[in-house]
PDB file of all heavy atoms in Angstrom:
ATOM      1  N   THR A  71      18.444   1.719  10.989  1.00  0.00           N
ATOM      2  CA  THR A  71      19.516   1.771  11.979  1.00  0.00           C
ATOM      3  C   THR A  71      20.781   2.312  11.329  1.00  0.00           C
ATOM      4  O   THR A  71      21.235   1.772  10.313  1.00  0.00           O
ATOM      5  CB  THR A  71      19.790   0.363  12.570  1.00  0.00           C
ATOM      6  OG1 THR A  71      18.570  -0.153  13.089  1.00  0.00           O
ATOM      7  CG2 THR A  71      20.827   0.421  13.663  1.00  0.00           C
ATOM      8  N   ALA A  72      21.341   3.368  11.912  1.00  0.00           N
ATOM      9  CA  ALA A  72      22.574   3.967  11.397  1.00  0.00           C
ATOM     10  C   ALA A  72      23.734   3.014  11.649  1.00  0.00           C
ATOM     11  O   ALA A  72      23.847   2.428  12.735  1.00  0.00           O
ATOM     12  CB  ALA A  72      22.836   5.308  12.065  1.00  0.00           C
ATOM     13  N   GLU A  73      24.589   2.863  10.655  1.00  0.00           N
ATOM     14  CA  GLU A  73      25.700   1.914  10.755  1.00  0.00           C
ATOM     15  C   GLU A  73      26.719   2.341  11.806  1.00  0.00           C
ATOM     16  O   GLU A  73      27.220   1.521  12.567  1.00  0.00           O
ATOM     17  CB  GLU A  73      26.384   1.770   9.396  1.00  0.00           C
ATOM     18  CG  GLU A  73      27.425   0.695   9.357  1.00  0.00           C
ATOM     19  CD  GLU A  73      27.999   0.480   7.972  1.00  0.00           C
ATOM     20  OE1 GLU A  73      27.569   1.172   7.032  1.00  0.00           O
ATOM     21  OE2 GLU A  73      28.874  -0.377   7.837  1.00  0.00           O
ATOM     22  N   GLU A  74      27.008   3.640  11.891  1.00  0.00           N
ATOM     23  CA  GLU A  74      28.070   4.095  12.782  1.00  0.00           C
ATOM     24  C   GLU A  74      27.672   4.132  14.250  1.00  0.00           C
ATOM     25  O   GLU A  74      28.338   3.563  15.095  1.00  0.00           O
ATOM     26  CB  GLU A  74      28.570   5.471  12.336  1.00  0.00           C
ATOM     27  CG  GLU A  74      29.352   5.393  11.046  1.00  0.00           C
ATOM     28  CD  GLU A  74      29.929   6.732  10.652  1.00  0.00           C
ATOM     29  OE1 GLU A  74      29.997   7.639  11.490  1.00  0.00           O
ATOM     30  OE2 GLU A  74      30.318   6.858   9.483  1.00  0.00           O
ATOM     31  N   ASP A  75      26.564   4.812  14.580  1.00  0.00           N
ATOM     32  CA  ASP A  75      26.209   4.967  15.986  1.00  0.00           C
ATOM     33  C   ASP A  75      24.996   4.127  16.403  1.00  0.00           C
ATOM     34  O   ASP A  75      24.543   4.205  17.529  1.00  0.00           O
ATOM     35  CB  ASP A  75      25.959   6.433  16.329  1.00  0.00           C
ATOM     36  CG  ASP A  75      24.796   7.031  15.566  1.00  0.00           C
ATOM     37  OD1 ASP A  75      24.140   6.304  14.780  1.00  0.00           O
ATOM     38  OD2 ASP A  75      24.542   8.239  15.744  1.00  0.00           O
ATOM     39  N   HIS A  76      24.482   3.341  15.493  1.00  0.00           N
ATOM     40  CA  HIS A  76      23.338   2.446  15.747  1.00  0.00           C
ATOM     41  C   HIS A  76      22.075   3.182  16.190  1.00  0.00           C
ATOM     42  O   HIS A  76      21.202   2.594  16.804  1.00  0.00           O
ATOM     43  CB  HIS A  76      23.701   1.345  16.750  1.00  0.00           C
ATOM     44  CG  HIS A  76      24.862   0.506  16.316  1.00  0.00           C
ATOM     45  ND1 HIS A  76      24.770  -0.396  15.289  1.00  0.00           N
ATOM     46  CD2 HIS A  76      26.148   0.461  16.748  1.00  0.00           C
ATOM     47  CE1 HIS A  76      25.945  -0.976  15.108  1.00  0.00           C
ATOM     48  NE2 HIS A  76      26.799  -0.479  15.975  1.00  0.00           N
ATOM     49  N   GLN A  77      22.013   4.473  15.883  1.00  0.00           N
ATOM     50  CA  GLN A  77      20.807   5.230  16.206  1.00  0.00           C
ATOM     51  C   GLN A  77      19.672   4.738  15.311  1.00  0.00           C
ATOM     52  O   GLN A  77      19.863   4.513  14.114  1.00  0.00           O
ATOM     53  CB  GLN A  77      21.043   6.726  15.979  1.00  0.00           C
ATOM     54  CG  GLN A  77      19.866   7.576  16.389  1.00  0.00           C
ATOM     55  CD  GLN A  77      20.163   9.060  16.288  1.00  0.00           C
ATOM     56  OE1 GLN A  77      21.287   9.456  16.014  1.00  0.00           O
ATOM     57  NE2 GLN A  77      19.149   9.867  16.503  1.00  0.00           N
ATOM     58  N   GLU A  78      18.484   4.561  15.903  1.00  0.00           N
ATOM     59  CA  GLU A  78      17.354   4.016  15.162  1.00  0.00           C
ATOM     60  C   GLU A  78      16.303   5.076  14.888  1.00  0.00           C
ATOM     61  O   GLU A  78      16.044   5.936  15.724  1.00  0.00           O
ATOM     62  CB  GLU A  78      16.734   2.845  15.938  1.00  0.00           C
ATOM     63  CG  GLU A  78      17.648   1.653  16.044  1.00  0.00           C
ATOM     64  CD  GLU A  78      16.974   0.451  16.663  1.00  0.00           C
ATOM     65  OE1 GLU A  78      15.917   0.605  17.291  1.00  0.00           O
ATOM     66  OE2 GLU A  78      17.518  -0.656  16.512  1.00  0.00           O
ATOM     67  N   THR A  79      15.710   4.989  13.702  1.00  0.00           N
ATOM     68  CA  THR A  79      14.625   5.866  13.294  1.00  0.00           C
ATOM     69  C   THR A  79      13.452   4.997  12.866  1.00  0.00           C
ATOM     70  O   THR A  79      13.609   4.120  12.016  1.00  0.00           O
ATOM     71  CB  THR A  79      15.052   6.771  12.109  1.00  0.00           C
ATOM     72  OG1 THR A  79      16.225   7.495  12.481  1.00  0.00           O
ATOM     73  CG2 THR A  79      13.938   7.717  11.712  1.00  0.00           C
ATOM     74  N   SER A  80      12.302   5.239  13.466  1.00  0.00           N
ATOM     75  CA  SER A  80      11.094   4.494  13.077  1.00  0.00           C
ATOM     76  C   SER A  80      10.530   5.094  11.802  1.00  0.00           C
ATOM     77  O   SER A  80      10.344   6.313  11.705  1.00  0.00           O
ATOM     78  CB  SER A  80      10.037   4.572  14.180  1.00  0.00           C
ATOM     79  OG  SER A  80      10.481   3.887  15.314  1.00  0.00           O
ATOM     80  N   LEU A  81      10.276   4.243  10.822  1.00  0.00           N
ATOM     81  CA  LEU A  81       9.728   4.686   9.547  1.00  0.00           C
ATOM     82  C   LEU A  81       8.430   3.938   9.249  1.00  0.00           C
ATOM     83  O   LEU A  81       8.250   2.804   9.690  1.00  0.00           O
ATOM     84  CB  LEU A  81      10.724   4.453   8.418  1.00  0.00           C
ATOM     85  CG  LEU A  81      12.047   5.211   8.510  1.00  0.00           C
ATOM     86  CD1 LEU A  81      12.980   4.781   7.390  1.00  0.00           C
ATOM     87  CD2 LEU A  81      11.813   6.707   8.453  1.00  0.00           C
ATOM     88  N   MET A  82       7.574   4.581   8.475  1.00  0.00           N
ATOM     89  CA  MET A  82       6.312   3.972   8.075  1.00  0.00           C
ATOM     90  C   MET A  82       6.243   4.015   6.554  1.00  0.00           C
ATOM     91  O   MET A  82       6.386   5.070   5.944  1.00  0.00           O
ATOM     92  CB  MET A  82       5.151   4.733   8.692  1.00  0.00           C
ATOM     93  CG  MET A  82       5.234   4.776  10.220  1.00  0.00           C
ATOM     94  SD  MET A  82       3.879   5.660  10.927  1.00  0.00           S
ATOM     95  CE  MET A  82       2.887   4.294  11.436  1.00  0.00           C
ATOM     96  N   ALA A  83       6.038   2.848   5.951  1.00  0.00           N
ATOM     97  CA  ALA A  83       5.905   2.757   4.498  1.00  0.00           C
ATOM     98  C   ALA A  83       4.450   3.047   4.144  1.00  0.00           C
ATOM     99  O   ALA A  83       3.540   2.399   4.659  1.00  0.00           O
ATOM    100  CB  ALA A  83       6.311   1.372   4.007  1.00  0.00           C
ATOM    101  N   VAL A  84       4.248   4.043   3.291  1.00  0.00           N
ATOM    102  CA  VAL A  84       2.908   4.436   2.870  1.00  0.00           C
ATOM    103  C   VAL A  84       2.820   4.323   1.356  1.00  0.00           C
ATOM    104  O   VAL A  84       3.655   4.879   0.637  1.00  0.00           O
ATOM    105  CB  VAL A  84       2.580   5.882   3.321  1.00  0.00           C
ATOM    106  CG1 VAL A  84       1.218   6.322   2.811  1.00  0.00           C
ATOM    107  CG2 VAL A  84       2.641   5.998   4.835  1.00  0.00           C
TER     108      VAL A  84
END
Side-chain angles (χ1 to χ4, degrees):
T71 305
E73 187 175 359
E74 289 184 16
D75 62 2
H76 302 288
Q77 184 174 354
E78 293 187 343
T79 304
S80 293
L81 298 175
M82 302 180 101
V84 177

